[in-house]
Amino acid sequence: MLDKNGIAKRIAKEIKDGYYVNLGIGIPTLVANYIPDGINIELQSENGLLGMGPFPFEGEEDADLINAGKQTITTLPGSSIFDSAMSFGMIRAQKIDLTILGAMEVSENGDIANWKIPGKMVKGMGGAMDLVASAKNIIVAMQHINKAGESKLLPKCTLPLTGVRCIKKIVTELAVLDVLPEGGFKLLERAPGVSVDFIKKATAGRLIVEGDVPEMVID
Amino acid sequence: MINKVISGADEAIKDINDGATLMVGGFGLCGIPENCIAALVKKGTKELTCISNNAGVDDFGIGLMLQTRQVKKMIASYVGENAEFERQLLSGELEVELIPQGTLATRCLAAGYGMPAIFTPAGVGTEVAEGKEIRNFNGKDYLMEYAFEADFALVKAWKGDTAGNLIFRSTSRNFNPVMAMAGKVTIAEVEELVEAGELDPDQIHTPGVYVHRIFEGKNYEKRIEQRTVRTK
């Protein structure tokens, strides 16, 4: 079973040289720490920055330079800054190659819910609805099972949707799965030490297992 | 040269009356019009509709106007980090319309570009789409969303000149330029106000035509919401 950093490490292997990538809040943010050597990418922060750098050194924080999680950050050589409309313009026009975000639920036809729990949590969708509606390549980083012990990979989402038929790949602490265009979660890889049976029990939606499922390779 | 300079925040907001619709620039607490918000709290203007990406935190930004119950309706994309906001929302005291962040930005842009509506895929198939017209272009569904109409836009820039031209600094730019374009009356507060001619025309982010009033703000706190650092 993977921890959060393990999930981030596995997702980092999906990133290709030359990608512009938008990372959501939570586990997705950790992915930036594991970009393989020799892979050059630019991170987009939807508040208006391409080429997001690491956190500043202590004493060098700049209140005017934050990411979409409102954390102090830095720029890098080649960075550019723009307004919010242009930021979502480049998202809508599919100039961003990959979006990685968290989810509360994903359905077997690729629907995602991650912004609202009626009566309990009302923080808002932020940029998530824009990202999932437009991105050509979306990876969901999340726990397979929620805190109540229920599967988050469902036949149908129960929470208000963020987007429909948009998720193609999911990486959890247990597995890497593709969401097939015709529906269903196809099991691609198992986390180290996790059995196919265990993943079956943790997946409420339709799980498709073909042949031997390899273990993830994470260095 | 047209002079847009006024004395300060109190004069800038003096005709913002109860029931007005305001755009408020900024992302989180980054690039917010601190002086205008403080002046509105002092003036006690009520029943406001605020269009802003966020609602500040409990004791700063728009959060200050929530504490004093000056806001009737909030149109935003993300309102976490604000317990008073959540309390007023769940108790029904505050009307809230949550909309996708790109939709928010582009509805401002449309207003500033003189376009009545936009088409966006954000929210198709979700509760955001309820009651809205859907059009299919090239096999994909898009929602029609209207340009905002705001009585006033309150924005914060880094530098501005007496003609109302604005330059923003770093990611405090965010929603400020698009809201500046969208207000019927746009009020810009700047950290440094200079004479017309001192800013390079090639470097202007917001042309003065969009700005009706400008003043140099005071005592910027520029609070950091999440101070994250690494060690040397």
Side-chain angles (χ1 to χ4, degrees):
Chain A
M1 201 176 294
L2 303 177
D3 61 9
K4 287 179 179 180
N5 283 294
I7 296 173
K9 272 187 199 173
R10 176 60 192 80
I11 291 175
K13 299 177 79 166
E14 301 289 319
I15 295 176
K16 296 189 173 62
D17 194 39
Y19 266 16
Y20 292 97
V21 182
N22 182 289
L23 301 178
I25 294 163
I27 300 172
T29 307
L30 300 172
V31 174
N33 300 331
Y34 302 108
I35 308 299
D37 288 342
I39 301 281
N40 292 303
I41 65 162
E42 280 195 20
L43 297 176
Q44 196 232 23
S45 191
E46 67 266 21
N47 55 320
L49 169 66
L50 262 177
M52 177 168 57
F55 295 150
F57 290 119
E58 208 165 344
E60 294 175 11
E61 311 92 284
D62 179 349
D64 287 339
L65 183 50
I66 63 167
N67 63 18
K70 288 111 179 176
Q71 297 171 310
T72 46
I73 45 150
T74 55
T75 55
L76 293 170
S79 286
S80 55
I81 285 166
F82 33 84
D83 65 56
S84 298
M86 185 178 282
S87 185
F88 284 93
M90 65 183 70
I91 288 167
R92 220 177 286 118
Q94 300 193 330
K95 306 296 179 187
I96 304 301
D97 299 288
L98 175 63
T99 288
I100 302 169
L101 78 175
M104 297 172 190
E105 296 177 347
V106 177
S107 78
E108 62 187 37
N109 66 353
D111 296 350
I112 176 173
N114 73 349
W115 73 283
K116 184 180 185 183
I117 303 172
K120 277 189 192 161
M121 187 211 77
V122 278
K123 290 185 186 306
M125 65 289 281
M129 282 195 182
D130 307 272
L131 283 159
V132 301
S134 294
K136 47 191 166 182
N137 191 3
I138 305 170
I139 301 177
V140 164
M142 67 174 188
Q143 303 295 328
H144 215 103
I145 301 164
N146 68 18
K147 282 174 191 149
E150 300 155 342
S151 178
K152 295 169 71 171
L153 286 78
L154 304 174
K156 200 167 182 295
C157 292
T158 62
L159 295 170
L161 295 179
T162 307
V164 293
R165 292 183 175 276
C166 52
I167 306 305
K168 297 189 177 76
K169 192 179 279 285
I170 305 167
V171 179
T172 74
E173 78 280 19
L174 303 180
V176 180
L177 311 106
D178 267 352
V179 182
L180 299 180
E182 64 272 26
F185 300 109
K186 184 173 181 185
L187 183 57
L188 301 180
E189 297 174 20
R190 297 173 289 117
V194 174
S195 70
V196 170
D197 271 350
F198 192 88
I199 296 165
K200 272 184 189 161
K201 288 197 185 86
T203 308
R206 192 157 66 94
L207 186 73
I208 296 156
V209 184
E210 285 174 3
D212 280 342
V213 179
E215 247 184 36
M216 292 179 208
V217 180
I218 295 168
D219 357 285
Chain B
M1 200 265 304
I2 302 168
N3 193 322
K4 307 282 177 76
V5 178
I6 52 162
S7 62
D10 291 334
E11 186 190 349
I13 60 117
K14 72 171 193 286
D15 57 349
I16 299 183
N17 294 321
D18 292 356
T21 296
L22 312 180
M23 286 178 168
V24 183
F27 187 99
L29 302 179
C30 181
I32 59 172
E34 294 181 19
N35 281 239
C36 281
I37 291 170
L40 280 167
V41 169
K42 195 169 84 178
K43 184 168 176 249
T45 316
K46 291 190 184 63
E47 300 285 303
L48 295 169
T49 294
C50 287
I51 302 167
S52 188
N53 189 53
N54 314 93
V57 294
D58 280 326
D59 60 346
F60 205 54
I62 290 175
L64 294 170
M65 296 198 286
L66 291 168
Q67 297 280 7
T68 47
R69 312 284 175 88
Q70 290 173 266
V71 183
K72 178 186 68 173
K73 181 176 181 182
M74 191 74 221
I75 300 173
S77 88
Y78 188 82
V79 293
E81 294 101 35
N82 192 324
E84 176 62 16
F85 183 98
E86 200 152 2
R87 192 196 65 72
Q88 289 186 23
L89 168 58
L90 292 172
S91 69
E93 289 164 63
L94 180 68
E95 200 183 328
V96 178
E97 189 181 339
L98 291 168
I99 63 175
Q101 194 172 131
T103 302
L104 179 65
T106 314
R107 289 175 68 188
C108 295
L109 191 79
Y113 275 32
M115 300 184 297
I118 60 158
F119 289 96
T120 176
V124 169
T126 76
E127 62 182 54
V128 165
E130 283 167 18
K132 289 176 185 163
E133 184 177 337
I134 292 178
R135 286 276 294 273
N136 188 288
F137 297 96
N138 302 318
K140 184 168 175 163
D141 284 340
Y142 294 79
L143 293 184
M144 187 166 77
E145 300 272 12
Y146 292 104
F148 279 124
E149 288 187 36
D151 302 313
F152 295 88
L154 313 180
V155 304
K156 152 77 178 24
W158 177 44
K159 287 185 181 178
D161 69 17
T162 52
N165 296 304
L166 304 178
I167 295 177
F168 302 91
R169 181 175 175 275
S170 202
T171 59
S172 70
R173 191 181 318 185
N174 56 62
F175 282 85
N176 282 300
V178 287
M179 288 185 171
M181 294 196 305
K184 286 192 191 106
V185 174
T186 291
I187 299 166
E189 54 176 271
V190 300
E191 287 180 54
E192 188 184 350
L193 181 65
V194 300
E195 288 300 320
E198 286 186 37
L199 301 178
D200 177 356
D202 271 334
Q203 304 302 320
I204 301 295
H205 294 131
T206 297
V209 68
Y210 285 116
V211 176
H212 303 85
R213 303 169 190 171
I214 190 167
F215 67 94
E216 189 171 282
K218 288 179 199 152
N219 306 322
Y220 281 105
E221 191 174 332
K222 298 222 266 184
R223 200 184 288 189
I224 292 174
E225 220 164 316
Q226 307 278 344
R227 187 178 298 274
T228 45
V229 294
R230 66 191 148 133
T231 43
K232 276 189 190 168

